[in-house]
Amino acid sequence: RAATQPGSSSISASFIDAVATSMGVAALVGAFAFIVGLPAGVLAGLYRLPGRSFLLSLIALPALVPSFLWAIGWSSLSQRLGPIAVDTVNSLGGVVVALVSGAVPLVIITSLVATRGLTASQIEAVRIGGGERAALLHACRHSAPSAALSAALAAVLTLSDPGPGMILGRRTAAADILTTFSAQYDLSLAAWQSLILAAVALVVMIPVIALTGPRLVEAVLARQTRPAPPSASRSMCLTGAVIVGGVVFVTAGLPLVGLLWPLLGGADI
């Protein structure tokens, strides 16, 4: 209804630029989440990582917390570290980092579930033929379609998230729509902006779903077979723990430090 009403202004070139910026941010978020989340999820699914349950619980934390809190945490932390850190965080790179905190857990959990769908006989046969390296490689290939779909979903979700862009001072399409709606009260323009952004998201997701959908069904279908127990390979377990622990440190640890640091100065909770 709002889109059919006469508006005070029309779609501007600056909004198109904001859409392009948001698309670039979404692409970086999706690519980074896939590159980090796929091997981390596969390692967590194949091996008995030290502190596995605790690390996976912490992995899920950023996905459950509003992204603007992580942006505030990064901004606060950068102010404690100096001007160079402030300039680094108050950029499109900072927006990507804040949004990645919620995207990586989705890919890790999806990859873990897809990996746990492999049977014991499949894993054992690959290990006999090629060792741990072959098992890791084939598990990544098996989980890649599911991880790619979840990374694309995470990327598209960033298109509708205005928080990090507004907090870190970078113009995005979602922030433009929020400003049009809540500050300018131009409902017609906000509706058209929303339709354009929704169309962009649809164009991105259709080919992704068409390419990965059938493989996703194969990866998650229940099987009446013996599941593969997590391996206790020492080198792989340590490697997995380092990778997953590093993800936790970057996505949750550092922004939490920024959020909690002011309390050390005696500020009221």
Side-chain angles (χ1 to χ4, degrees):
R1 289 174 58 186
T4 61
Q5 302 301 315
S8 58
S9 56
S10 58
I11 299 296
S12 63
S14 61
F15 177 72
I16 301 302
D17 290 340
V19 172
T21 299
S22 296
M23 288 295 296
V25 169
L28 289 173
V29 169
F32 190 83
F34 178 80
I35 292 171
V36 175
L38 175 61
V42 170
L43 284 167
L46 285 180
Y47 303 101
R48 296 174 185 166
L49 311 184
R52 180 174 179 269
S53 299
F54 180 67
L55 288 175
L56 291 178
S57 299
L58 291 180
I59 278 287
L61 178 62
L64 303 176
V65 176
S67 60
F68 72 86
L69 280 181
W70 298 132
I72 293 173
W74 281 109
S75 179
S76 175
L77 181 62
S78 68
Q79 292 171 16
R80 306 276 176 173
L81 298 179
I84 296 178
V86 171
D87 292 339
T88 302
V89 170
N90 291 331
S91 64
L92 284 180
V95 176
V96 171
V97 170
L99 291 170
V100 157
S101 295
V104 171
L106 183 61
V107 180
I108 290 179
I109 293 170
T110 304
S111 302
L112 186 151
V113 171
T115 302
R116 297 301 298 152
L118 292 169
T119 65
S121 57
Q122 288 174 314
I123 297 296
E124 290 164 1
V126 174
R127 280 181 176 145
I128 291 173
E132 292 294 340
R133 183 177 178 180
L136 182 61
L137 176 63
H138 285 283
C140 285
R141 290 179 60 186
H142 168 79
S143 303
S146 305
L149 186 58
S150 61
L153 172 60
V156 169
L157 289 175
T158 67
L159 295 176
S160 62
D161 191 343
M166 298 188 74
I167 291 168
L168 300 177
R170 294 294 147 178
R171 187 170 186 174
T172 61
D176 263 21
I177 294 172
L178 181 60
T179 301
T180 302
F181 175 78
S182 62
Q184 301 174 3
Y185 302 106
D186 191 341
L187 302 187
S188 176
L189 178 58
W192 279 109
Q193 289 175 334
S194 299
L195 289 172
I196 290 173
L197 192 59
V200 170
L202 190 63
V203 168
V204 172
M205 286 304 295
I206 285 178
V208 171
I209 292 173
L211 291 172
T212 62
R215 289 291 302 275
L216 177 64
V217 172
E218 295 176 6
V220 300
L221 279 178
R223 296 180 176 88
Q224 297 297 324
T225 50
R226 180 170 60 96
S231 171
S233 170
R234 183 175 179 81
S235 60
M236 288 296 186
C237 287
L238 291 176
T239 300
V242 169
I243 292 176
V244 176
V247 171
V248 171
F249 177 72
V250 173
T251 60
L254 289 177
L256 277 176
V257 169
L259 286 171
L260 299 178
W261 200 326
L263 298 179
L264 300 179
D268 292 336
I269 292 180

